[in-house]
Amino acid sequence: MNFPTVRLEGGLLSAEILEQTAQGEAPGQTPGHFGLDKGVRLTDEIHRAWSDARHFWGTFKRLLARLSEDDPATSDTRERWIIPLLRVLGYDLSYKSRAAVVEGQTFAISHSAGKGEDAPPIHIVGCRQPLDRRSPTGRPRLSPHALVQEYLNRTEHLWGLVTNGYQLRLLRESLRTARPTYVEFDLRQMMEGEHLADFALLFRLLHRTRLPRGVEDGKDCLLERYHLLSLIHISEP
């Protein structure tokens, strides 16, 4: 797999499926599957999104340079970088002003991928907050990654995203708690190194049309098909 900014952990998706997705050979890779009008070329749409992403990244970097080192940069990470980036990937995020309560535990997931209550969770933290480390304030009680993973495991949601603006991870509900399972895109390396091919894979894999609309169609979404196909590849000798 020749994608320097992509990292696979725990067998969530196979390298074979990522290669097929990048080549447009996986299921759901025609323009119509992305909600594009007839006659629109998917490659042209990806290039437009890449141009927008580079612009957003440049603006974000300039704003970040003006902040003090102890500023978590949460608002700028969200408003100037990740929300605009996800918008060009088809997302209309909804801010969650209240933490969800599941089985007596609170889950302060920042956003969802739509206005419906059952839209997939999207958690965005500041770029100075590592995804695998709890905030120094002790709130929330879990690291950003663990918060989303436990939320998926305890609810009917199947897929979700977590990001600090530098890394963007795709997560799925999992009974395996000992080992993290995710697909990660290193956004900073992608933007700084101008890895267009990696961005094209991100577009093809994480566009809003890949995720379920809500909990009801979780088993039917394209990501779930990719996951099941990956299990076949991984099990083959």
Side-chain angles (χ1 to χ4, degrees):
M1 187 179 72
N2 189 28
F3 299 106
T5 72
V6 183
R7 177 182 176 187
L8 301 177
E9 284 289 341
L12 180 60
L13 297 178
S14 68
E16 290 85 354
I17 283 296
L18 292 191
E19 291 283 2
Q20 291 176 20
T21 301
Q23 297 298 322
E25 298 171 355
Q29 290 296 322
T30 68
H33 287 115
F34 290 83
L36 299 176
D37 293 334
K38 188 176 181 180
V40 175
R41 294 177 57 188
L42 183 58
T43 52
D44 291 344
E45 193 70 17
I46 291 172
H47 278 84
R48 279 192 290 269
W50 171 245
S51 179
D52 288 343
R54 293 176 65 193
H55 170 72
F56 301 147
W57 175 256
T59 300
F60 171 62
K61 276 190 63 180
R62 289 190 293 273
L63 291 171
L64 193 62
R66 301 172 189 167
L67 299 179
S68 63
E69 293 185 0
D70 59 350
D71 190 320
T74 303
S75 294
D76 284 325
T77 302
R78 289 175 176 173
E79 301 298 329
R80 299 305 184 101
W81 172 223
I82 292 300
I83 291 176
L85 174 65
L86 292 180
R87 188 175 295 123
V88 301
L89 298 178
Y91 291 79
D92 181 15
L93 298 188
S94 179
Y95 178 68
K96 312 297 285 186
S97 59
R98 294 183 180 179
V101 179
V102 182
E103 299 175 356
Q105 298 286 348
T106 58
F107 294 86
I109 307 294
S110 68
H111 295 78
S112 62
K115 301 187 184 304
E117 287 297 320
D118 65 344
I122 311 289
H123 189 38
I124 310 169
V125 299
C127 64
R128 291 166 176 165
Q129 169 65 48
L131 291 182
D132 295 312
R133 193 180 308 161
R134 289 178 59 191
S135 170
T137 66
R139 299 179 63 185
R141 58 190 172 81
L142 299 169
S143 71
H145 176 101
L147 185 74
V148 176
Q149 186 65 70
E150 186 172 322
Y151 181 72
L152 293 174
N153 292 350
R154 288 173 174 259
T155 66
E156 295 182 342
H157 290 285
L158 196 58
W159 293 90
L161 299 176
V162 61
T163 181
N164 61 3
Y166 287 161
Q167 290 84 37
L168 172 61
R169 291 180 183 175
L170 170 69
L171 281 66
R172 183 189 182 278
E173 176 273 330
S174 175
L175 298 178
R176 298 170 57 186
T177 58
R179 180 182 177 186
T181 302
Y182 57 85
V183 178
E184 178 183 279
F185 289 86
D186 188 325
L187 298 177
R188 177 162 54 176
Q189 182 184 355
M190 184 186 295
M191 293 295 118
E192 297 293 335
E194 297 194 359
H195 294 286
L196 172 57
D198 291 36
F199 179 82
L201 172 60
L202 185 153
F203 189 102
R204 289 176 176 274
L205 185 68
L206 298 187
H207 190 272
R208 179 63 183 91
T209 52
R210 319 291 91 180
L211 278 73
R213 292 183 297 275
V215 297
E216 294 295 329
D217 65 327
K219 296 290 186 180
D220 301 317
C221 74
L222 282 166
L223 280 176
E224 190 66 10
R225 292 182 66 183
Y226 297 164
H227 175 63
L228 295 176
L229 289 171
S230 295
L231 294 179
I232 296 173
H233 288 137
I234 293 170
S235 65
E236 290 176 346

